[in-house]
Amino acid sequence: MTPRSPSASSPSASAASGTSPNEPGRESPYEVRVAEGEDDRAACFAVRTEVFVREQCVPAAIESDADDGGAVHVLAVGPDGSLGTGRLLHGPAAAARNGGDERIGGLGRLAVTRAARGLGVGAAVVRAIEGEGRRLGLTAIDLHAQASATGFYERLGYAPYGEEFREAGIAHRSMRKLL
């Protein structure tokens, strides 16, 4: 799942700072990093709950799944708390969703808080996830984009494939980017 609202590579997913899309080159007041420890993971799930369950009315019972345990979670944080998150599935968990290829990762659960939209947080989280994918030796990343977010992903180099489908009651498209 991806939020309804809103290349490259990241030098390091562990501590990348975002840049403002409105003022190129100007550092934004947030950090994007791989979630480490229970506090970071709880912050990731809090953002997902806010965006998917509260805003988009996705049932809480399907918002998280068994793949969360083995996924790489990325968290964007600012001075006032968590701003966004996303996860990367890899290995057998990703292969189970992409037709069996363990070299293709799965980006999902990208969520940016309402207050942080338009600050480049979503793109920074995607770049950090791509950086982690490269670090893990993945050759591509697949995702299921909400139909309203396909333009966002296309600007980041993802190409749609297949027909539109419904997931959690929301129209989606499959997309892929080679790393």
Side-chain angles (χ1 to χ4, degrees), residues 142-166:
D142 272 3
L143 58 86
H144 293 169
Q146 288 183 6
S148 61
T150 56
F152 166 78
Y153 288 109
E154 286 174 328
R155 288 188 297 277
L156 294 173
Y158 289 81
Y161 66 91
E163 298 298 316
E164 190 172 283
F165 60 94
R166 297 197 73 73

Side-chain angles (χ1 to χ4, degrees), residues 47-151:
V47 171
R48 286 168 46 175
T49 298
E50 177 183 336
V51 172
F52 299 129
V53 177
R54 292 191 186 107
E55 288 182 29
Q56 298 182 358
C57 301
V58 171
I62 65 169
E63 194 290 309
S64 60
D65 60 28
D67 291 329
D68 280 321
V72 175
H73 296 269
V74 171
L75 177 65
V77 293
D80 297 323
S82 303
L83 305 174
T85 189
R87 77 175 186 187
L88 173 64
L89 300 181
H90 56 95
R97 294 172 181 240
N98 71 30
D101 191 339
E102 290 193 15
R103 299 170 301 161
I104 300 172
L107 187 159
R109 304 305 203 265
L110 180 68
V112 176
T113 63
R114 182 171 281 154
R117 292 179 193 150
L119 301 176
V121 172
V125 169
V126 170
R127 285 191 300 272
I129 288 171
E130 291 170 353
E132 283 299 298
R134 285 183 191 90
R135 187 185 67 75
L136 292 167
L138 300 177
T139 60
I141 294 183
D142 272 3
L143 58 86
H144 293 169
Q146 288 183 6
S148 61
T150 56

